[in-house]
Amino acid sequence: MHIHRSEKIWLISGVVALVVFLGIIGFAAIADGIVPPSHIETIDPTKVAQTPPFDHPGLRRTGPNTVEAYVVAHIFSFTPGLMKIPLGTKVTFYATSPDVVHGFFITGTAVNMMVVPGWVSSATHTFTKRGNYLLLCNEYCGTGHQYMYGTIVVR
Ligand code: CUA
């Protein structure tokens, strides 16, 4: 089979680019210790319901304007499904999953993380606008994925 010279060059550059990119990802994963967007905190996914603070998911006030939110993402809902937050509060979300990979995306904010079983993912946001914010699962997690959401009410 005859392959045109330009096509060979194109194919070889494609393969070289692929190998280089995979190499960089592999190297970075090992050398830089790439992990899910988290507090570098792990949890036994089979014992989430027994492990504090995830045994009692919800909001914890840590200061006059700071709150920690512990959220369990599971098929196919978030616990708690409704969070009421005073305007101007800086919220640090901690999320984990006892089953499969879920998403944790709050519309209108930069909070967008994967929730991976075995890990505690963390992100912080200060809510400076009143309103209802949708918390969405944006990782396909099964047949009820499209029903998986929560609400954050900022007043
Ligand atoms: Cu959980 Cu999609």
Side-chain angles (χ1 to χ4, degrees):
M1 186 178 70
H2 175 75
I3 300 176
H4 193 273
R5 191 167 163 272
S6 332
E7 200 162 2
K8 263 187 204 162
I9 293 170
W10 187 240
L11 277 172
I12 290 167
S13 8
V15 170
V16 167
L18 189 65
V19 168
V20 167
F21 291 154
L22 287 176
I24 291 171
I25 291 172
F27 173 78
I30 295 162
D32 292 343
I34 290 182
V35 292
S38 77
H39 216 49
I40 324 284
E41 202 180 311
T42 55
I43 184 170
D44 181 345
T46 62
K47 296 196 175 73
V48 170
Q50 293 88 49
T51 309
F54 290 101
D55 55 343
H56 292 100
L59 305 174
R60 313 265 193 285
R61 183 161 285 286
T62 51
N65 286 310
T66 52
V67 159
E68 288 177 348
Y70 294 92
V71 182
V72 179
H74 42 85
I75 47 174
F76 296 102
S77 60
F78 293 98
T79 305
L82 173 66
M83 288 177 264
K84 291 179 181 171
I85 292 163
L87 186 69
T89 305
K90 181 181 181 184
V91 185
T92 303
F93 294 94
Y94 297 92
T96 193
S97 162
D99 39 55
V100 298
V101 174
H102 295 283
F104 191 104
F105 171 56
I106 304 171
T107 54
T109 74
V111 177
N112 185 2
M113 46 187 190
M114 279 175 92
V115 183
V116 184
W119 294 89
V120 178
S121 299
S122 174
T124 301
H125 182 75
T126 304
F127 290 88
T128 53
K129 279 188 192 148
R130 285 177 215 279
N132 290 5
Y133 294 74
L134 200 55
L135 165 61
L136 285 175
C137 175
N138 57 359
E139 296 279 342
Y140 182 73
C141 54
T143 51
H145 162 71
Q146 67 274 23
Y147 302 115
M148 185 165 172
Y149 72 97
T151 309
I152 296 168
V153 178
V154 177
R155 286 287 178 268

